[in-house]
Amino acid sequence: MKKYILSFLLLICVVVSSYAQAKVEISPKNFTAEDKITITVDVTGTILDGVKPLYLWAWIPGCCGADNGDWNNSNEANKLTEVKANVWSISFVPTAFYKRSAGEINEIGFLVKAKDGTGDKKTQDMGSKVESLVFVPNKLRVFPSQFTQDDVITIVYDQKLDDNPSMKALKEVYMYTDINYDAGADRGVFFQPVSYDGVGDSNYVKFKSEGNGVFTLTMVPSSYYGSAATPVSEGRRPSGRFQINSIKVHVRSKGNPFAGGAPQPAASLGDVFLTPEK
Amino acid sequence: MKTLKNIVICATLLFLASCKGFPDAPLNEAIVQESVALTGTWKLKKATQFDPVAISKGFPDEKYIRYNDITANFAGITNYQISFQGGNYTVTNPSPAVLFGTGGTWSFNDKSPDGRRKIVLSGAAANGEVEFGTSYRPSDNQLNLYFTRIIGGKAIVRYSYEFVK
C-alpha cells in the first residue's frame, strides 16, 4: 500500500513539474510608481502555451487588487498584446493602473491568465519591488509645491545645501522680489514692493531664521503683494481683482552683493520665479 | 436525547422571537448633529497646512515637505473667530491664512463625488472644499474644519483649522 501511495505522489510531482514557469521581464528594471513600465511574459511550455488571448491579473501585495474583473471573466482593459508566439506584453503606469498613490505602491504583484482562469489556466505569481519616489532637497524651495496666489506659501532657503561659501556664511537672509500680474484689461503689470538697494533695511522682505541654516519667509501672495500694508517701490501695487502670473524671488544678503564696499559676506542666489496655479 | 434537542430548538426560537431590531435613526439625525456641532462662535487655536502632492508621493513626513504649522506665521491669527448661526456665518478678525472669507451663508452639500459631506461657505475661497476634519463631540469643545484647494480636479493644498469655543 505504502508503495502505491509513494508512486501516486511521484506521479503528481511529475505532472506538476511538467509545466515550465513563465519567464517575465519588466522594463525598465528599476522603476517608480509614476514610471511607465512594460511587462513582457513568455508562456512557452506553461499551461498557457498557445492560449489566446491572455490577461494580466494584478495586485499590490498586502493591499488590494487592480481592476481585474472576475477570475472567469478578466477585464478587457487588462488584455496583453501578443508580441510573438507565446510572448505577451502590457504597458502601464502603476499609479494609473492600480489607481493608488505612489506612496501606496511599494511592490506590485501579478500573474498572467486566460480570460477564464478556471482550471488553473494561469502562470505562477510574479512581481517586483517598486522604488520610492525620492524627495530631492533643494537649497531653495517653496512649500507647498503647488499653490494659488491665495494660499499660504513658505519660501525655504536651506543654507546647508548651498555651495557658495558667502551664502553659507550669512547670518541674515533677505528677498528681493517683484511680481507680474494681470488686472482687468491691464496685462503683465510690474510691481516691486522694495527696491534692490532698500532690501537690507526692510523687515518686510527679511527671512526668519529657523536655526540649523534654514531660513523661511511665509506669506499669502495676494495679500503680501496687494494689501494696504504692502510697501511700494516701483510699479503699481495691485488692488481689486488681480491675478499674479509670476513671483520673482531673489534670495540675498543684507548688503547689496553688487555694490562696492558692501559689508561681507555679500552674495545672492539670483532670480527664481514661482508660478501660482490659476 | 430527543428531549434535549427539542429544548434547544425551543430555546433558540424563544431567543430569536425576543430579539428586537435597533430603532432606525431619524433620517435627518446626522444633519442635526453636525448643524449643532457648527452652531456657535469658534475661536481659532491652530492652523496647519499639508501638501497632498508630497503625501501622495510618499515623501518624508517632515515640516516644509509634507506639512507646516502656520499658526505662528500670522500675527493675530488666534484672534480669528467664526460664528455659525442658522444659515449664516460671520468672521471676526479675519486672516489671509484662513480661507473662509469674511462671512456669508452656509449649507451642507451631500452630493460630492467622493461621497463625503462638504460644508458650502458662500464666502470661502474659490476652487476649494470645506469639510469636517473629525467627528464632533461636545465634550471635546473642538471643531476641526478642513479646507482643500482643488485645481483641475486635483488637491494641491490642504488646511486643517482647529477651533475651540
Side-chain angles (χ1 to χ4, degrees), chain A residues 72-83:
Chain A
N72 61 0
N73 185 21
S74 269
N75 184 350
E76 276 300 302
N78 292 9
K79 185 154 68 171
L80 284 83
T81 302
E82 188 174 18
V83 179

Side-chain angles (χ1 to χ4, degrees), chain A residues 217-237:
Chain A
L217 196 154
T218 299
M219 65 159 92
V220 175
S222 57
S223 166
Y224 185 81
Y225 293 97
S227 76
T230 308
V232 179
S233 165
E234 197 178 327
R236 199 174 79 218
R237 184 173 65 195

Side-chain angles (χ1 to χ4, degrees), chain A residues 6-64:
Chain A
L6 283 172
S7 301
F8 180 68
L9 288 175
L10 184 65
L11 181 66
I12 288 174
C13 290
V14 169
V15 170
V16 169
S17 63
S18 65
Y19 287 117
Q21 294 227 312
K23 292 173 191 155
V24 64
E25 188 180 299
I26 302 176
S27 176
K29 277 185 180 172
N30 301 315
F31 61 91
T32 73
E34 292 188 347
D35 293 326
K36 187 176 182 182
I37 62 171
T38 299
I39 297 173
T40 305
V41 181
D42 183 347
V43 296
T44 306
T46 72
I47 194 171
L48 297 176
D49 193 328
V51 175
K52 295 181 183 181
L54 296 181
Y55 293 79
L56 198 72
W57 186 270
W59 63 91
I60 299 171
C63 171
C64 41

Side-chain angles (χ1 to χ4, degrees), chain A residues 162-176:
Chain A
D162 204 323
D163 296 329
N164 183 334
S166 295
M167 287 298 293
K168 267 179 144 35
L170 296 181
K171 302 288 185 213
E172 294 180 336
V173 174
Y174 290 78
M175 173 177 72
Y176 171 59

Side-chain angles (χ1 to χ4, degrees), chain B residues 41-42 45 136-143 163-165:
Chain B
T41 298
W42 296 92
K45 188 174 89 174
Y136 172 77
R137 289 186 304 183
S139 56
D140 292 337
N141 184 31
Q142 183 160 314
L143 175 70
F163 295 91
V164 290
K165 268 188 176 167

Side-chain angles (χ1 to χ4, degrees), chain B residues 16-29:
Chain B
L16 291 174
S18 67
C19 288
K20 285 181 181 172
F22 288 104
D24 290 335
L27 287 175
N28 63 345
E29 187 180 38

Side-chain angles (χ1 to χ4, degrees), chain A:
Chain A
M1 185 64 183
K2 195 174 172 185
K3 201 172 164 185
Y4 286 119
I5 291 171
L6 283 172
S7 301
F8 180 68
L9 288 175
L10 184 65
L11 181 66
I12 288 174
C13 290
V14 169
V15 170
V16 169
S17 63
S18 65
Y19 287 117
Q21 294 227 312
K23 292 173 191 155
V24 64
E25 188 180 299
I26 302 176
S27 176
K29 277 185 180 172
N30 301 315
F31 61 91
T32 73
E34 292 188 347
D35 293 326
K36 187 176 182 182
I37 62 171
T38 299
I39 297 173
T40 305
V41 181
D42 183 347
V43 296
T44 306
T46 72
I47 194 171
L48 297 176
D49 193 328
V51 175
K52 295 181 183 181
L54 296 181
Y55 293 79
L56 198 72
W57 186 270
W59 63 91
I60 299 171
C63 171
C64 41
D67 288 340
N68 293 314
D70 296 322
W71 185 250
N72 61 0
N73 185 21
S74 269
N75 184 350
E76 276 300 302
N78 292 9
K79 185 154 68 171
L80 284 83
T81 302
E82 188 174 18
V83 179
K84 59 181 183 182
N86 283 327
V87 179
W88 298 78
S89 78
I90 187 170
S91 298
F92 58 83
V93 175
T95 48
F97 186 78
Y98 289 93
K99 294 186 173 59
R100 295 277 164 177
S101 73
E104 296 172 290
I105 307 176
N106 302 315
E107 189 178 358
I108 58 170
F110 57 89
L111 55 81
V112 170
K113 63 181 279 289
K115 187 166 180 73
D116 180 355
T118 309
D120 235 16
K121 288 199 278 291
K122 67 173 187 67
T123 65
Q124 77 279 11
D125 290 355
M126 298 175 274
S128 175
K129 292 282 181 195
V130 178
E131 292 192 349
S132 300
L133 291 170
V134 179
F135 172 75
V136 180
N138 198 319
K139 62 187 171 190
L140 185 66
R141 64 177 192 272
V142 63
F143 175 88
S145 52
Q146 290 176 263
F147 58 90
T148 70
Q149 65 176 20
D150 297 319
D151 285 308
V152 177
I153 66 168
T154 300
I155 300 165
V156 182
Y157 170 61
D158 191 339
Q159 208 172 33
K160 299 187 299 298
L161 302 173
D162 204 323
D163 296 329
N164 183 334
S166 295
M167 287 298 293
K168 267 179 144 35
L170 296 181
K171 302 288 185 213
E172 294 180 336
V173 174
Y174 290 78
M175 173 177 72
Y176 171 59
T177 185
D178 59 53
I179 58 169
N180 174 296
Y181 70 94
D182 297 340
D186 296 333
R187 304 277 155 178
V189 184
F190 172 84
F191 172 63
Q192 173 186 277
V194 182
S195 71
Y196 202 80
D197 284 340
V199 162
D201 298 320
S202 173
N203 280 334
Y204 200 73
V205 290
K206 186 179 180 181
F207 279 67
K208 175 182 158 195
S209 174
E210 304 253 346
N212 199 28
V214 174
F215 296 85
T216 60
L217 196 154
T218 299
M219 65 159 92
V220 175
S222 57
S223 166
Y224 185 81
Y225 293 97
S227 76
T230 308
V232 179
S233 165
E234 197 178 327
R236 199 174 79 218
R237 184 173 65 195
S239 61
R241 291 176 61 86
F242 64 95
Q243 176 62 53
I244 298 175
N245 299 315
S246 67
I247 301 168
K248 182 166 85 182
V249 174
H250 178 113
V251 177
R252 53 163 272 195
S253 53
K254 181 178 176 66
N256 182 342
F258 302 108
Q264 296 301 311
S268 85
L269 287 186
D271 296 344
V272 172
F273 292 90
L274 310 178
T275 308
E277 303 284 340
K278 293 176 183 173

Side-chain angles (χ1 to χ4, degrees), chain B residues 60-78:
Chain B
D61 189 13
E62 294 175 18
K63 189 178 182 183
Y64 302 135
I65 297 177
R66 280 198 184 201
Y67 67 89
N68 184 25
D69 182 344
I70 55 176
T71 317
N73 291 116
F74 292 87
I77 195 173
T78 50

